[in-house]
Amino acid sequence: MATVSLPEHRIRQVMENPGRNRRGNPFDIKRLFLFQLYQEILSHRHLFVMQLINLNAHEMSTLKRELTKAGFTYSTVRTSLFLRAASEMFVSDKERQMVATMRNMFTGTCGVAFSNGEETKLIKDLGATLKSLQNKVFLVGGKLDSDALSHDQLIDVSKMPPLADVRAELLSLLKNPAEKLVQTLSPERGLNEL
């Protein structure tokens, strides 16, 4: 199973300068670690928020195993700390709006599945994975690149063809007129054919 961890250089950086709160006391090391870990998770291109309802240990391990098979990494998150990491990480107006939209997705016990793969395939794989745990795990929304999307918007994205297919179709549309032009102007054709 894929585990969520921080790179060594980030761990060293946090340990060397743990920071202090307004009263001058050092921050709790576990909170610092989670904060940095959540920022690492948020740096992935695609992040999906799931609400977990009364999962037992067996169901949780099944969820993690199935998500790993589908190409995701999974982590349960502390909502307030996760959203704090998001609000400090994203500073532009568009990113702040994304964080505000994401804030509404986190209610109750939540987990996130994240990856850097292709959107359409990931959403379809995630939907298939979550069907095995119906009524226990709900896909609430997600972040695709720098856009926060609701559950309904994610379903719409999953219905779109994969990016590779769209590129191939566009390339063939652009290639056909060029081939016809080359055939028309080729020296093998006689003038009486024009």
Side-chain angles (χ1 to χ4, degrees):
M1 245 184 257
T3 58
V4 183
S5 63
L6 282 174
E8 283 187 38
H9 71 278
R10 291 217 25 210
I11 294 172
R12 265 189 252 109
Q13 181 184 19
V14 170
M15 296 304 288
E16 289 172 0
N17 186 15
R20 297 190 176 273
N21 64 17
R22 285 183 236 148
R23 294 183 179 163
N25 299 325
F27 287 116
D28 177 33
I29 294 296
K30 185 174 181 179
R31 284 180 61 89
L32 280 173
F33 172 77
L34 288 174
F35 185 83
Q36 294 296 322
L37 183 65
Y38 294 161
Q39 285 192 331
E40 186 76 20
I41 289 171
L42 285 160
S43 69
H44 285 78
R45 287 186 60 212
H46 312 302
L47 175 113
F48 302 99
V49 180
M50 296 170 284
Q51 187 174 21
L52 312 174
I53 300 175
N54 296 330
L55 286 181
N56 60 33
H58 175 69
E59 292 167 334
M60 181 62 86
S61 64
T62 301
L63 174 67
K64 288 181 181 181
R65 184 175 47 256
E66 293 300 318
L67 287 172
T68 301
K69 277 189 210 173
F72 292 97
T73 307
Y74 172 82
S75 178
T76 305
V77 295
R78 289 185 179 178
T79 302
S80 60
L81 196 55
F82 188 82
L83 291 172
R84 175 87 188 263
S87 63
E88 286 194 21
M89 184 174 177
F90 301 117
V91 293
S92 73
D93 290 338
K94 182 180 179 186
E95 291 172 334
R96 288 214 181 272
Q97 184 157 3
M98 177 193 64
V99 172
T101 304
M102 285 179 63
R103 197 172 295 279
N104 297 329
M105 295 178 196
F106 287 89
T107 18
T109 306
C110 290
V112 293
F114 52 95
S115 179
N116 285 327
E118 185 186 334
E119 302 92 359
T120 307
K121 182 182 180 317
L122 286 176
I123 297 170
K124 287 178 183 174
D125 290 348
L126 184 63
T129 301
L130 296 182
K131 279 188 181 181
S132 66
L133 292 167
Q134 258 180 338
N135 301 327
K136 293 279 191 167
V137 180
F138 296 98
L139 179 62
V140 181
K143 171 185 90 85
L144 298 179
D145 293 323
S146 61
D147 295 318
L149 302 176
S150 69
H151 173 65
D152 295 334
Q153 291 170 320
L154 286 175
I155 298 301
D156 291 342
V157 169
S158 73
K159 293 176 183 174
M160 295 170 60
L163 185 59
D165 292 352
V166 173
R167 283 182 181 155
E169 189 175 322
L170 181 63
L171 184 62
S172 70
L173 287 173
L174 293 173
K175 187 178 172 186
N176 286 341
E179 285 178 350
K180 287 180 183 176
L181 180 64
V182 168
Q183 286 176 354
T184 304
L185 298 176
S186 69
E188 292 91 33
R189 297 184 67 179
L191 290 177
N192 54 2
E193 292 181 25
L194 296 175

